[in-house]
Amino acid sequence: MGSTLIRGGTVVNADAAIRADVLVRDGRIVALGIGSDWTADTVIDATGMLVIPGGIDAHTHLEYPIDGFTTRTADDFYTGTVAAAHGGTTTILDFVKKEPDRSLYDTYLRRRDAALERSVVDFGLHAIVPPRAQQPDVLDDLRRLAGEGAAGWKFFMAYPGTQMVDDGELLEGFDLARELGVLPMVHAENGHMVARETQLLIDRGDTAEHFHATAHGHDSEAEAVHRAIVLAESVGAPLYVVHVSSAAAADEISRARADGRRVWAETCPQYLQVAYEDYEGLGEKAAAYLCSPPIRERSNQEGLWKALVTGAMATVATDHAGFCLHQPDDLPPQKLRSPGYFPKVPNGVPGIEDRLMVLWEGGVASGRFDACRFVDLVSTRPAKLFGLFPRKGIVAVGADADLVVWDPAADHVITTENTHMRTDYNLYDGMRVTGKPVHVLSRGEHLVDAAGSFSGAAGRGVFAERGAPHLF
Amino acid sequence: MGSTLIRGGTVVNADAAIRADVLVRDGRIVALGIGSDWTADTVIDATGMLVIPGGIDAHTHLEYPIDGFTTRTADDFYTGTVAAAHGGTTTILDFVKKEPDRSLYDTYLRRRDAALERSVVDFGLHAIVPPRAQQPDVLDDLRRLAGEGAAGWKFFMAYPGTQMVDDGELLEGFDLARELGVLPMVHAENGHMVARETQLLIDRGDTAEHFHATAHGHDSEAEAVHRAIVLAESVGAPLYVVHVSSAAAADEISRARADGRRVWAETCPQYLQVAYEDYEGLGEKAAAYLCSPPIRERSNQEGLWKALVTGAMATVATDHAGFCLHQPDDLPPQKLRSPGYFPKVPNGVPGIEDRLMVLWEGGVASGRFDACRFVDLVSTRPAKLFGLFPRKGIVAVGADADLVVWDPAADHVITTENTHMRTDYNLYDGMRVTGKPVHVLSRGEHLVDAAGSFSGAAGRGVFAERGAPHLF
Amino acid sequence: MGSTLIRGGTVVNADAAIRADVLVRDGRIVALGIGSDWTADTVIDATGMLVIPGGIDAHTHLEYPIDGFTTRTADDFYTGTVAAAHGGTTTILDFVKKEPDRSLYDTYLRRRDAALERSVVDFGLHAIVPPRAQQPDVLDDLRRLAGEGAAGWKFFMAYPGTQMVDDGELLEGFDLARELGVLPMVHAENGHMVARETQLLIDRGDTAEHFHATAHGHDSEAEAVHRAIVLAESVGAPLYVVHVSSAAAADEISRARADGRRVWAETCPQYLQVAYEDYEGLGEKAAAYLCSPPIRERSNQEGLWKALVTGAMATVATDHAGFCLHQPDDLPPQKLRSPGYFPKVPNGVPGIEDRLMVLWEGGVASGRFDACRFVDLVSTRPAKLFGLFPRKGIVAVGADADLVVWDPAADHVITTENTHMRTDYNLYDGMRVTGKPVHVLSRGEHLVDAAGSFSGAAGRGVFAERGAPHLF
Amino acid sequence: MGSTLIRGGTVVNADAAIRADVLVRDGRIVALGIGSDWTADTVIDATGMLVIPGGIDAHTHLEYPIDGFTTRTADDFYTGTVAAAHGGTTTILDFVKKEPDRSLYDTYLRRRDAALERSVVDFGLHAIVPPRAQQPDVLDDLRRLAGEGAAGWKFFMAYPGTQMVDDGELLEGFDLARELGVLPMVHAENGHMVARETQLLIDRGDTAEHFHATAHGHDSEAEAVHRAIVLAESVGAPLYVVHVSSAAAADEISRARADGRRVWAETCPQYLQVAYEDYEGLGEKAAAYLCSPPIRERSNQEGLWKALVTGAMATVATDHAGFCLHQPDDLPPQKLRSPGYFPKVPNGVPGIEDRLMVLWEGGVASGRFDACRFVDLVSTRPAKLFGLFPRKGIVAVGADADLVVWDPAADHVITTENTHMRTDYNLYDGMRVTGKPVHVLSRGEHLVDAAGSFSGAAGRGVFAERGAPHLF
Ligand SMILES: [Zn+2]
Ligand SMILES: [Zn+2]
Ligand SMILES: [Zn+2]
Ligand SMILES: [Zn+2]
Ligand SMILES: [Zn+2]
Ligand SMILES: [Zn+2]
Ligand SMILES: [Zn+2]
Ligand SMILES: [Zn+2]
C-alpha cells in the first residue's frame, strides 16, 4: 500500500487539537511529528485543514429487513458504505435481527458474509436479542457472538408481540452482557404505552402520517430509559441507550450519570436538526420523516443539544434506515406503501452520509462545543464503547489510518443530488454547512479525494472485531 | 540541551493510552512514533512504564504570608518546587495576595520575581482579588494582570473583614473576568456562617483544634458554591471553585453542570484520603490537619470520589500550604503557635509532592477510574482551564517536554522522610501506594531520575503565561 | 339508639384541635358547642382527652385467601374487626381477590356477604384486578363494582404469572378508573426483579427466612412506583400506592407530588417501627416478620417518617394480614409451613389493632408531627381518598358518630396478650406507648368503653359505600 | 352584641365543607349544628352559600412610609381596612418600619396606636428588622416586641445601604426568632444583583418603567430564597418567605419542603393574575404595576399556581401598598413622581379588597383546587403561622366570629369604582369573577351586608396578639 504523509494540518482528537504531520505506513499511523523531514509515497497537503479520525456510525441498518421481513431498507452494504465514506464515516456498526427460520447466530453469519462481500468500509455488527419465545436458547448464541467479536446487544423495550422483551429478559440479558464484557443497548420506548396510544389514534381515525409522533410520547421514552437504567444497575451492567429523541429522556440519563450510573446515550442528527413542525403539514409525504422514536417538536431540540454539551449524551449516530419516498422497481414497498395510515409506514430515515456535516454545523460552527467534542461524539466515544479503541477512533500512532481531512471553513450546501445514499430525498436538502470532509482514508487507502471521486472496492471493508470496551 | 528519546512506554493522555516512543528536542516533543528507528542523545527506557504529561498543581501557596503577614508557609519557591518535581509535578500555579502597603499589581511583580529566582519548575500566578476597601482601583490592576498572562483571579467568600468580598464585588469581578477571558475562582464558604459558628464555639469554650471542622459546616460551603454559580451565570462568566471539600458542595456543582452551567471544581488529596476521624482525638497535634475548608468526616469522602468519577469535579490540586508542627528556628510561628485555640492555628496542609501518588492509589489502583482520567485531573484539565494547553498538560508533538515516566506497579510507602517538603510531617506517612514517578523531565531537562536524584537549579523555572483557556 | 354527649374534650380534626362538646343523636353528630347546656341519654366525660374521628384502615386482609387459596389469614371478619375496634379503628377497607372459579364480581358479592355477616365495624371493599388472562371481561365487572360503591381497584405490579398485570393492563385499568372516578391502587414492586432475585437466592441456597428482604430490593419498589406514576399520568388518572416500604420509593412519590402529579401513598406501622435487624437473626421465627414489600433496614425508617412529615406520604394503613406462628388446629398452614424456605412463607403481618398507638408514639409523642396530622393520616385522608368523607373521617356535624376518645397521656404497654388479634404474636409486643383509645363509638354505639369491655355484635357493621372522592 | 345565627349554609374550613348552622354569641362562635332549632337575635340565611372564616391578609402596608419617609401609601388604616372588609378580609397583619429618629420599639408603639385609632378590622403588626448599623440594640427591641405579641419579624435581603441586612444579621435574627417562637420572614431578593442590574440599565439609559422587571431577575429572587433557607436551617429556625413572585423561587421552596425544611411561602394575586406583558407597552402608566419583586412574564404564572396546588406555597397575601396614579392633593408624591425613571417610582400595588375574589376565580372556579384549599390559603394558614389560630382562621366553636358568607356562584365584575381602596386604579378592573363575599362579620359584628352597605366604626379593630404558632 505504501506510505502516506498528511502534512501541515491540525490533528484533532477528543482531547486536543495539535499541529502535526501524520505519517501512515501499511494502513496504520506510524508517527506524528512537527517540523519533520519525513517523506512518503503520497503526500496530502492539509494546510488549514483538520485531520480527524474517521467517523464511526454506531447505528445503521443497511439492507435491513423490517416488519416481518415484508420489506427492507433501500441502501445495501455497498451503496450505504459508499455514502458513509463520502460523509467521512469509515466504520459502521450495523444490526443483526434473527430471521424467522434461522437462529440468531446463523443469521449473524449470513449477514456478516453479506457485509464482507459488499461493504467498502470496515464494519461491526450488533446483535438484536429476540424474545425468548422466538428462540429459547438465545443466550447460548449471545455467548458465541461475544466470543467472535460481535459488537453490542440490542434489546427492544418497544414493539410488544414482535421484538419487545420483558423486564425479566432484560435482566437476564444485561447480566450476561456484564459477565462477558459486552455493552447492552436498548431501544427505549414503553411498548405498551405506544401501542395503546396508537390504538386510540386508530380508533379515532387519526391515522395521518404525522400522528406517528403523537403515538410515541415523550413519557413513554423517558419511562423506558428510567427503567432500563434501574434494571442495568440492579445487575451491575453498563448500558447504552440508542437514538434518544426526547429531552425528557435525556434528563433521565443526565440524572443517572450525575448519580454515578454507567449509562451512555446516543442521539441522531434527525432529532437535533429536524422537527415535527417540518412534517406536520406535509400530508402523505410526512412519511419521509417517520422513524421511531419520532422526530419531535422544535422546542425539544435544545434539550438534546444541551445534553451533548454537558456530556449527558455520549455519541451521535444515524440510525440510518432509509426508504425511498417514490417506489423504485427494484425494491420492496417503501415509504408510501400505506398512505394516510401511519402504523404501516416503514420506520426509518437516511443520514449515514450527512451525520458529520450536520453535527459540525449545529455543534461546532454554532459555537456550542469545540472540534474535540465533535470528534469524541462521532468517532472516539463509539470506538471506546464498542471495543474498537484505540485501533479506531483516534489519530495516534499504532491506530488504523482511518483519517478524514476536514475543511472547517467550507461553504457547502447539502442536497439530495450531491449525496450518495440510495434514498430519493435527504432530510437536510438545502442545508448550508461550513464543515465537510475533503479526503477520506480507510486503513491508509484513499477512498475519497478532494475532488470527491471515490475509489474503494466492494468488499474491501473488514470486520471490526470488538475488543475490550473503555467504559470510564 | 540535546535530544531525548523515551522508548517503549505507554503514552497516557486524557483520552487515550497508546504505545509510543517519544522524541524530545530542544525542550519540546517533536515526534511520537511506533516502530521507529529514532536515536537521541539520551535514551530512557520506559518499558512497562507509562509516560504522562507532567503534573500541574493549580493551587499552591509557597512562601505564602497569612494572617495579616504574621507568619508564612514553610516551603519557599525552591523547596516547594523541588518537592513538586519529586512528586511528578512540573508546573505550579501559586497565588499573589496584595501586601498591605503595596498594590496588587506591585505585589504581583515582587512575587513573580521571587518565583523566578527560586523556582525549579515552571509556574504561573493567580491573583487574589482584595475587597474594594483595601484597594479601590483593583479592577485596573486586574486588567494589567490579565494582559501580562497572570493565571486566574481568586475571590474569597469567606473571612469577613479581611479577604471576603461581597456579592456586588463578585459580580463586578466575574464580569470583568468574562470580558478578559480569565477564569474567576472562588474560595466558597459563607464567611458569616463560619464566623458565627466560630464565635459560638469560642463562647462555649470549645476551642480545641478539632472544633475547627465544626466551625466550617457543610452547609456554609454548599451555600457559597450555589451562590457563586448563580452570580457567575448572571454575568455570563465561567467559574472555578477551588478546594471543594464537602460532598454537598460537590452536589451543587454536579447539578449546575448537568444544567449546562460552565463551572469547574477542584478538590484536594487531603479531602479524599484523610478524614476528621483521623485527627479528632489528637489534641493539639490535630493542628497538623487544620485547613479551610476542613478535612471532613470519612463518610463524606465517597461523594467526592463519585464527583471525580462522574466528572462533576474537574481537577485535583493540593492547596499546598504547609506549616511545621514543631517550631523551627528560621520560620515565623507555625502550627503550634496557639495550642488549644483553633481560631489561631495557621490554616493549611502540605501535599505538593504527594498528590499524584495519592490520587493514583485511590483512583486508578482502586479501580474507580482509569489512567486517562487520572492524567486529566492532575494535568490536562488544569492546563486547559488556565490557558496553558496544549503547551502543557499533554504528551503531544509541539508540547513542552514536561514528562513523567510513571511506574504503575510500584510498591512504595510514602513517609515524611522520603518526601522533600519542608514540613516535619506528612499526612500520608505510611500510606502504601502502587504508582509513583520514576523519571521527571521539565522542558526536556531530566530533573529527577530513576534513582531519585535531583538536578534542577533554583530559578530554572519559567513563568507560564496564560493563553486562551479551553472551557469546553 | 338515643343520644350521647361527649363533654369536655378537645376535638381533633385534620386541621384543628378545638375545645368542644360533641352531641350525637341517632348515630350521627348533630352539634358541636362550647359552654352548652346540652343533655343526652349518655354522657361521656372527655376532660383531658382528645376526641378524634374513628380510625379508617384502608388496607386489611381478613379471612383472606393467599397462594392459590391454599391458606388464609388468621383473623376473620369478626375477630379482625373486634381487634380493629379495640385499637380505635371503626372502618376498614378490605380486598376482594377473584376466586379461581368465580368472576371478580361474583367473588365480591360473596365476600361482601361474609363481611356483612361477621364484621362489627363498617367496611368497604377494594377490588383486586386480575390479569386479563384470568378473566377476559374483567373491565365489565369493574364498571359494575364502581356503580355499587366498591372502594378502590388494586393492581399488582408484582407476582408475575399469578397476579401481575402488564403495563398495557395498567393503562387500560387506570383509564377506566379515571372515567368512573375510582382511585386506582398499585402494589408497586417490579415483579420480574423480585422473581429474578428470588431465583438467584434459591440457586445459591440462600432460602432462610430473612433473605426474603434481599429478594425484594429497594430499587424494585422505587422503579415500580416511578412507572406507575408515569402510566397514571399518561391517562390522566390519580394514583394511590399501597404499603410503601422503601424511602427510595417515597422519594419518587415526593418528586412526583412536587411536580404536581396526583399521587398519594400509604405506609404501614411495620415499616416505620420494625426493622430488618429485628428479625435477621431469628432463624425460622423470622417468618413472623415476612411481608411484601419487606420490613427494611433501620436506616430506611427515617425517610418514611420524613415523608409523613412533609406530606409526601398521605396515609398509614396496616396491610393487616396476620398468620399465626404456631400452627393452630382450625386454620390452614400458617407462618411455619415451610421453615427455612422463605419463598413459601405466607406473606403478611398483623397490626389492625396496633396502628393508632404505634403511629401516635412515633409521630406525635416523638414530636415529629401534631395530633392533627395524626388524625389526617389514620382517618381523614383515607376517608377523602376512598369517597367516605365527610360522612366519615371527621368530627363534624352531619358525620357518622364514629368517635374515639383518645388519652394522649396514657402509660401503656402493647402486648400480644392485651391485644385481640387472632395471631399468636404481636410485632410491637413490649412497646411502651403514651397514647391509646379509651372509648370507641361506631355510629353512636359504644363499642369499647373505658374498661376495655366490648359490646358490638357480629354483623352490626354496614357496607360503607364509596361516594365522590376528595382528591385535592 | 346579642346573638346571630347563620343558617343553611355550607361551612368551609381548610379540611372540610360541611352543611351546618353557625350560632354566634358575644362575638364568638358557640355552636355548629345540623337540624337545630336554635334561635338568635339576628338570622342570616346562607342557603346556597358558603360560610368561611374571615380572610387574613398577612402582608399589608397601610399609611406606610417609603423611600426614606419621602412619601407614603395612599390608604390609611381606615380606608384600607374598610376596603379589606368589603373584600372579605377581617384581619390584617401590617408592618412597622423603624423611623429614623425613633427606635423600632417606639415606632411600633406609635404605629399600633395609629391602627387602634383608625382600623375597622382586627390587626397585627410585623416588625421590620433594621440593619444593626441603624439601631445597634435592635435585638433588645425584638425581644420586647415578641413579649407583647407582635406578629413576625421581616428581614430584607434587598436594598443594600438602606434596609438590607447581611447574612450575619440574618443568622443572629433567625436564631433569636427560633428562641422566642417567632416566625422570621424574608423579602428574598439578592440586593447586590438587583443593584447591579439597575445600575447597568441606568448606564444604558434604559430607565423606562417596565425595565424595573429587568432589574429584578428571577435568579436574584431564587438565590435569596435558597440562601435564606440554608441560613434558617443552620440555626434551626422556621422561615416564611413573603411575596414569592418567581416560579424559580417557588421551586427552591418546593425542594426544601420536600427535603423536610420548615419553610413556608406567600405569593400575591398580582403575581398570579397580572403579567409583565400587561404593562410592558404602557409607557409611564406602567408605574401602576411596579412592585418588588416585580410582576413577571405570563409564562411564569403557571409555576406559581402549581406551587399553590402542591402546597409548596402556603399563603396568598396582598403586599397591599397602593399609590395613586394621578396625584391627589392630599398625598405626598405618588406613582408618577418620576415618569420615565423606574428607580424612583414608588413600589407597590393595591389589592387588599380584591384578594379573595381573584384567588377564588383562578383557583377554585378554574378547577385548580377546592374551596377548602382556598380557605387554607387566605385564612387558616396565615392564622396558624402567625399565632392567631384557632381564635381566627377557622369556623369552629370558640373562635372569633370573623365570618364571611360567600357566594360561590356570583356573576360579578371587579372595577375600580365598585371597590373601596383609595387608589385610582385597580389591577383587576374589568375582571369577571364567580365568587364574592355577601356578608362580612367581624367578631359577630355585621360589617358588610348583602346590599354592600358598611357599618363598622373607625377604631373598632383590636390588636390581634400573636399566640403560639402552629408550624406543623
Ligand atoms: Zn430502535
Ligand atoms: Zn435502529
Ligand atoms: Zn482557600
Ligand atoms: Zn488556597
Ligand atoms: Zn400488596
Ligand atoms: Zn395488602
Ligand atoms: Zn418586600
Ligand atoms: Zn411588603
Side-chain angles (χ1 to χ4, degrees), chain A residues 249-265:
Chain A
D251 282 349
E252 291 286 355
I253 291 157
S254 177
R255 262 193 291 275
R257 288 182 59 85
D259 202 37
R261 306 290 174 95
R262 295 191 306 150
V263 54
W264 291 266

Side-chain angles (χ1 to χ4, degrees), chain A residues 427-459:
Chain A
L427 290 176
Y428 314 100
D429 189 279
M431 180 180 177
R432 169 161 255 135
V433 295
T434 58
K436 67 183 279 283
V438 178
H439 299 273
V440 179
L441 284 76
S442 166
R443 282 176 283 105
E445 194 174 340
H446 204 150
L447 292 192
V448 184
D449 67 16
S453 62
F454 183 84
S455 59

Side-chain angles (χ1 to χ4, degrees), chain B residues 166-169 171-172 175 190 192-194 196-197 200 219-220 222-223 226-227 230-231 233-235 252 255, chain D residues 166-169 171-172 175 190 192-194 196-197 200 219-220 222-223 226-227 230-231 233-235 252 255:
Chain B
D166 67 26
D167 290 357
E169 292 170 287
L171 286 166
E172 206 163 13
D175 196 28
N190 182 310
H192 287 294
M193 293 177 74
V194 173
R196 180 184 158 80
E197 281 302 317
L200 290 177
D219 52 352
S220 69
E223 188 285 317
H226 180 273
R227 182 156 39 101
V230 172
L231 295 171
E233 177 77 5
S234 83
V235 300
E252 292 284 355
R255 261 193 292 275
Chain D
D166 66 27
D167 290 358
E169 292 169 287
L171 285 165
E172 205 163 13
D175 195 29
N190 182 308
H192 287 293
M193 292 177 74
V194 172
R196 180 183 158 79
E197 281 302 315
L200 289 177
D219 53 353
S220 69
E223 188 286 317
H226 179 273
R227 182 155 39 100
V230 172
L231 295 171
E233 177 76 6
S234 82
V235 300
E252 292 284 356
R255 262 193 291 276

Side-chain angles (χ1 to χ4, degrees), chain A residues 157 167 170-171 190 222-232 234 261, chain C residues 157-158 164 167 170 186-194 217-231 239 241 246 248-250 252-253 255 296:
Chain A
M157 303 174 78
D167 290 359
L170 286 173
L171 287 165
N190 183 308
E223 188 285 318
V225 167
H226 180 273
R227 181 156 40 99
I229 291 170
V230 172
L231 295 172
S234 83
R261 306 290 174 95
Chain C
M157 301 174 79
M164 190 172 97
D167 291 358
L170 287 173
V186 285
H187 173 130
E189 290 187 290
N190 182 309
H192 287 293
M193 293 177 73
V194 172
H218 290 262
D219 51 353
S220 68
E221 186 178 355
E223 189 285 318
V225 167
H226 179 273
R227 181 155 41 99
I229 292 169
V230 171
L231 295 172
L239 181 70
V241 185
S246 164
E252 292 286 356
I253 291 156
R255 261 193 291 277
R296 302 189 184 274

Side-chain angles (χ1 to χ4, degrees), chain A residues 59 61 154 243 319:
Chain A
H59 191 159
H61 298 274
K154 184 176 178 188
H243 56 42
D319 196 9

Side-chain angles (χ1 to χ4, degrees), chain B residues 22 54 59 88 100 128 140 143 149 153 156 161 187 206 209 299 345 350 368 379 389 392 406 449 451 462 464 469:
Chain B
V22 182
H59 191 158
I128 290 175
D140 297 337
R143 252 180 214 284
W153 301 346
F156 277 89
H187 173 130
D206 289 337
E209 278 71 5
S299 60
V345 172
R368 287 188 172 103
S379 179
F389 189 84
K392 296 186 181 297
W406 184 266
D449 66 16
V462 303

